[in-house]
Amino acid sequence: MELNATTMQHPQTCLEITMEVHQVVPPPHKSTIHKLKSRLKETFFPDDPLRQFKGQPTRKKWILAAQYIFPILQWGPNYSFKLFKSDIVAGLTIASLAIPQGISYAKLASLQPIVGLYSSFVPPLVYAVLGSSRDLAVGPVSIASLILGSMLRQEVSPANDPVLFLQLAFTTTFFAGFFQASLGFLRLGFIIDFLSKATLIGFMAGAAIIVSLQQLKSLLGITHFTKQMGLVPVLSSVFHNTKEWSWQTILMGFCFLVFLLVARHVSMRRPNLFWISAGAPLVSVILSTLVVFAFKAEHHGISIIGKLQQGLNPPSWNMLQFHGSHLGLSIKAGLVTGIISLTEGIAVGRTFAALKNYKVDGNKEMMAIGLMNMVGSSTSCYVTTGAFSRSAVNHNAGAKTAVSNIVMSITVMVTLLFLMPLFQYTPNVVLGAIIVSAVVGLIDIPAAYQIWKIDKFDFIVMLCAFFGVIFISVQDGLAIAVGISIFKILLQITRPKTVMLGNIPGTDIYRNLHHYKESMKIPGFLILSVEAPINFANSTYLNERILRWVEDYEAEEDLKKQSSLRFVILEMSAVSAIDTSGVSLIKELKKAMEKKGVELVLVNPLGEVMEKLQKSDEAGDFMGPDSLFLTVGEAVTTLSSTIKGQSSNHVV
């Protein structure tokens, strides 16, 4: 096409003359059943797990089904000695971390240390068969231990009624596993997405501080310590019991805590030296035990673990309590610990899967972690999941498959059978130091600063989670943060963004007037973009907001004595859905505009929106050729020519 000098000087005129107006086509007809199936599939089966079965013979389908349920059957037949060499090194490395952590975290949950080792034996074996992550190292974690212990202690004292407390811990673990497996089986994994990144960062940081403060009992040698979890009661207890402070305990705790933190710092600075941080807890346990044994330090104010029973996990299904006055507590604690541990496990699994470029199936992971906890509750284990610190060590140690979990489990089994007497003289102060050094990594200051830079509302959510955990309680802090996050979502739904569009000179592009300063208003046109689905929650607001845009526009025209408003154009490209209230809104706006002598025009309604508007437009009021366009440019061009035609007729 040739362009002459006049055309080049007036590109907008050229566009008006040559622009082809495209017809807005309704979506192809689909039955209600078909639409419902599509919606349910995208909600519950976004990964389409059944696609691998299409076109396969019956025998192959059975094999694929078995591999889907038991991922070990996928990689197991191709397992080699070369892979085993890598996995055995990784397994022994994480076992050196799992043993002291298992003992420490059990004490954090107010359980016997032996329960922590039990929980590092059976669950990893179950996960190795059912789990889809190659790097996830399974065992007790600090956050779940803290929540379980703090929630159960609200009603039952572990000191006064240890048997009932243990029964409730196992019952809570069963319900945690049941909730986790149910989410996976029912494909409801999107529920855990309500725990936003900001919520988790604030929650983890607050929990890390609470966990660390709880260790002051061990680090200072205090015997009479508060059972409450808040910052104020803990610090009050610490400074009201200064007479119980033991300088021997403080000295030993300080030395080992510095050693553990330095080891952690070295491994963070040089990832190839991961084994220093991984082995530091076990080295601390061995050295401190030898010191206590050699100097009989238990007679000089340093408390020790004491005698631990030997042997493998005794069955505990007879200890599960599905009746009685504490059933509600077990269910509530199971729900909270289950969701938190599931979120941590899946997040850790996906993190390392991304590093190695393989996929982790979220629903499979939920079922694997859930069944792992249900089996664990029957074998004297409490809530377990994939721990970040342990998984990081597993990844850095070169783990290739879930066999590293099996190696770790066997190492723990050997410890349970033969090495338990060696832990009798292990001081509690070192276990406290191990916990503090482990949870320090949960305080992510760079991530908090990043949230502050990007989204101030998310930063407020993070602070609410952080201060809620510190000053109220772990579960209440989490609930407050989730509540504020949901409020934010509701705010975005009920108060969707609407912007006024203007034309960028020399183009057919229309953009936000406040964003693109060069964009210009078109006389006689008010062009608005609605940037959200239209539904019952926001239809009233949108009605008021659009009418306010119209009033402001008319008031501005009166001041400038410009031509009156002729058309209101609604750009609907971002309106992904509409309900009956939204359809009613369009009808009401149409009538309101007609009373003002203004025509309402719709631009690019999407498939579902178009279909519902078409079905409701029995009289053909707002789905006619002059009321519906594919682009704003086409609408403005066509309607401008209509105005000019009317003006010419009027002059004649």
Side-chain angles (χ1 to χ4, degrees):
M1 187 177 94
E2 294 183 6
L3 296 176
N4 57 30
T6 307
T7 304
M8 292 294 288
Q9 290 172 2
H10 302 283
Q12 185 66 37
T13 307
C14 172
L15 285 170
E16 290 177 3
I17 294 170
T18 61
M19 177 175 288
E20 180 184 352
V21 178
H22 298 85
Q23 187 179 1
V24 180
V25 181
H29 176 72
K30 290 182 182 178
S31 66
T32 304
I33 297 295
H34 187 274
K35 286 188 283 189
L36 183 63
K37 282 173 65 177
S38 298
R39 179 61 59 88
L40 290 174
K41 181 182 175 183
E42 288 306 310
T43 301
F44 297 107
F45 300 94
D47 53 342
D48 194 10
L50 299 178
R51 70 183 184 279
Q52 60 180 327
F53 295 97
K54 292 176 183 175
Q56 299 290 350
T58 305
R59 184 172 178 275
K60 180 67 173 176
K61 286 181 180 178
W62 281 106
I63 293 172
L64 289 172
Q67 289 178 340
Y68 184 80
I69 297 169
F70 303 105
I72 194 172
L73 297 177
Q74 288 180 338
W75 53 265
N78 301 317
Y79 196 69
S80 64
F81 182 71
K82 183 180 178 182
L83 294 173
F84 180 67
K85 286 194 294 185
S86 299
D87 285 335
I88 196 168
V89 171
L92 291 172
T93 306
I94 55 175
S96 69
L97 181 63
I99 292 168
Q101 277 192 348
I103 295 171
S104 304
Y105 292 157
K107 289 185 72 65
L108 184 60
S110 300
L111 298 169
Q112 289 296 315
I114 191 72
V115 178
L117 289 181
Y118 289 158
S119 303
S120 300
F121 171 48
V122 172
L125 294 175
V126 178
Y127 183 82
V129 175
L130 299 173
S132 60
S133 173
R134 303 172 198 166
D135 298 279
L136 205 66
V138 169
V141 292
S142 58
I143 302 301
S145 302
L146 172 71
I147 294 173
L148 184 140
S150 63
M151 290 186 75
L152 296 186
R153 278 202 306 271
Q154 290 176 358
E155 293 190 21
V156 179
S157 168
N160 299 335
D161 204 343
V163 175
L164 177 60
F165 191 87
L166 191 60
Q167 289 173 337
L168 294 181
F170 294 150
T171 308
T172 296
T173 302
F174 175 85
F175 281 116
F178 178 77
F179 288 130
Q180 291 166 335
S182 298
L183 288 176
F185 183 75
L186 298 174
R187 317 287 292 185
L188 298 175
F190 57 85
I191 290 175
I192 65 173
D193 293 336
F194 279 101
L195 292 174
S196 65
K197 183 178 180 182
T199 301
L200 287 173
I201 288 172
F203 171 75
M204 292 290 191
I209 290 174
I210 288 296
V211 169
S212 301
L213 289 172
Q214 286 291 311
Q215 302 320 302
L216 290 175
K217 176 183 178 181
S218 300
L219 293 171
L220 299 175
I222 299 172
T223 52
H224 297 89
F225 198 73
T226 180
K227 292 181 173 57
Q228 294 178 274
M229 303 297 293
L231 176 70
V232 175
V234 168
L235 291 180
S236 176
S237 180
V238 166
F239 291 106
H240 276 90
N241 294 294
T242 51
K243 293 179 181 178
E244 295 182 7
W245 290 16
S246 166
W247 69 266
Q248 298 96 329
T249 303
I250 294 170
L251 179 62
M252 178 177 279
F254 177 79
C255 292
F256 280 105
L257 183 57
V258 169
F259 168 68
L260 289 163
L261 291 175
V262 168
R264 180 178 177 276
H265 180 72
V266 169
S267 295
M268 284 180 64
R269 293 293 295 271
R270 297 195 174 184
N272 59 318
L273 299 177
F274 67 90
W275 51 270
I276 295 177
S277 177
L282 189 60
V283 170
S284 299
V285 167
I286 293 170
L287 286 177
S288 63
T289 302
L290 290 174
V291 168
V292 169
F293 181 77
F295 294 99
K296 301 200 182 302
E298 73 272 21
H299 300 305
H300 300 281
I302 294 180
S303 66
I304 58 174
I305 291 179
K307 193 172 183 180
L308 298 173
Q309 67 186 79
Q310 283 181 267
L312 299 180
N313 303 32
S316 57
W317 57 74
N318 58 327
M319 298 182 73
L320 299 178
Q321 291 196 334
F322 300 116
H323 54 80
S325 59
H326 299 298
L327 180 61
L329 173 65
S330 298
I331 293 173
K332 187 171 81 167
L335 179 63
V336 176
T337 54
I339 289 177
I340 289 297
S341 58
L342 191 63
T343 304
E344 181 175 354
I346 290 177
V348 171
R350 284 176 175 167
T351 299
F352 291 107
L355 291 175
K356 287 189 177 178
N357 198 29
Y358 68 91
K359 286 187 177 180
V360 166
D361 188 321
N363 287 293
K364 273 191 201 175
E365 289 296 284
M366 290 177 203
M367 287 190 280
I369 294 172
L371 290 170
M372 175 179 84
N373 279 315
M374 290 175 74
V375 172
S377 69
S378 301
T379 53
S380 300
C381 305
Y382 77 105
V383 180
T384 54
T385 188
F388 186 81
S389 58
R390 217 174 297 179
S391 300
V393 169
N394 195 33
H395 171 80
N396 291 328
K400 302 297 182 187
T401 68
V403 169
S404 61
N405 272 299
I406 298 174
V407 173
M408 177 188 72
S409 182
I410 292 171
T411 308
V412 173
M413 179 189 74
V414 171
T415 303
L416 286 167
L417 288 173
F418 306 110
L419 304 179
M420 292 314 294
L422 299 180
F423 293 98
Q424 180 177 345
Y425 292 96
T426 301
N428 287 313
V429 63
V430 168
L431 300 181
I434 290 170
I435 291 173
V436 172
S437 65
V439 300
V440 161
L442 298 176
I443 303 173
D444 196 343
I445 294 174
Y449 177 67
Q450 191 73 6
I451 289 172
W452 164 257
K453 282 203 308 183
I454 295 171
D455 191 327
K456 301 298 187 289
F457 194 100
D458 268 358
F459 187 76
I460 292 171
V461 171
M462 186 195 72
L463 289 181
C464 287
F466 178 74
F467 289 116
V469 169
I470 288 179
F471 289 106
I472 306 174
S473 70
V474 174
Q475 59 270 26
D476 289 341
L478 183 65
I480 290 168
V482 171
I484 294 174
S485 297
I486 293 173
F487 173 73
K488 178 188 177 184
I489 295 170
L490 291 174
L491 203 62
Q492 291 172 341
I493 293 171
T494 58
R495 295 294 182 268
K497 195 174 181 183
T498 55
V499 296
M500 189 188 298
L501 304 182
N503 176 248
I504 296 179
T507 72
D508 189 36
I509 299 170
Y510 289 79
R511 289 292 182 267
N512 186 349
L513 282 164
H514 296 290
H515 183 186
Y516 292 85
K517 300 301 181 185
E518 70 272 25
S519 59
M520 299 173 60
K521 292 181 182 179
I522 307 295
F525 289 85
L526 173 59
I527 308 168
L528 302 174
S529 175
V530 181
E531 301 182 350
I534 302 175
N535 51 49
F536 67 94
N538 59 29
S539 57
T540 303
Y541 167 77
L542 283 173
N543 188 21
E544 294 172 353
R545 186 69 187 96
I546 291 169
L547 291 176
R548 191 148 40 95
W549 278 116
V550 172
E551 289 170 6
D552 291 346
Y553 190 94
E554 290 175 337
E556 189 177 337
E557 284 180 339
D558 290 342
L559 287 174
K560 294 182 179 179
K561 296 182 180 179
Q562 293 181 343
S563 58
S564 61
L565 179 65
R566 295 289 302 275
F567 298 99
V568 172
I569 297 178
L570 284 187
E571 211 285 329
M572 302 180 73
S573 298
V575 181
S576 58
I578 195 169
D579 65 1
T580 50
S581 298
V583 172
S584 298
L585 163 69
I586 302 295
K587 289 183 176 181
E588 289 169 13
L589 282 173
K590 182 78 174 175
K591 291 176 183 176
M593 294 301 106
E594 286 174 352
K595 288 179 181 178
K596 291 175 176 285
V598 177
E599 189 174 340
L600 180 69
V601 177
L602 306 182
V603 168
N604 195 28
L606 303 181
E608 179 188 330
V609 178
M610 175 83 172
E611 187 178 13
K612 290 183 179 178
L613 289 173
Q614 196 175 35
K615 287 180 178 177
S616 67
D617 189 29
E618 297 171 356
D621 292 333
F622 54 85
M623 296 296 285
D626 291 335
S627 301
L628 192 64
F629 293 90
L630 197 60
T631 68
V632 175
E634 291 181 7
V636 172
T637 302
T638 305
L639 298 171
S640 295
S641 61
T642 303
I643 294 173
K644 288 176 183 176
Q646 291 173 351
S647 300
S648 300
N649 293 335
H650 182 71
V651 170
V652 173

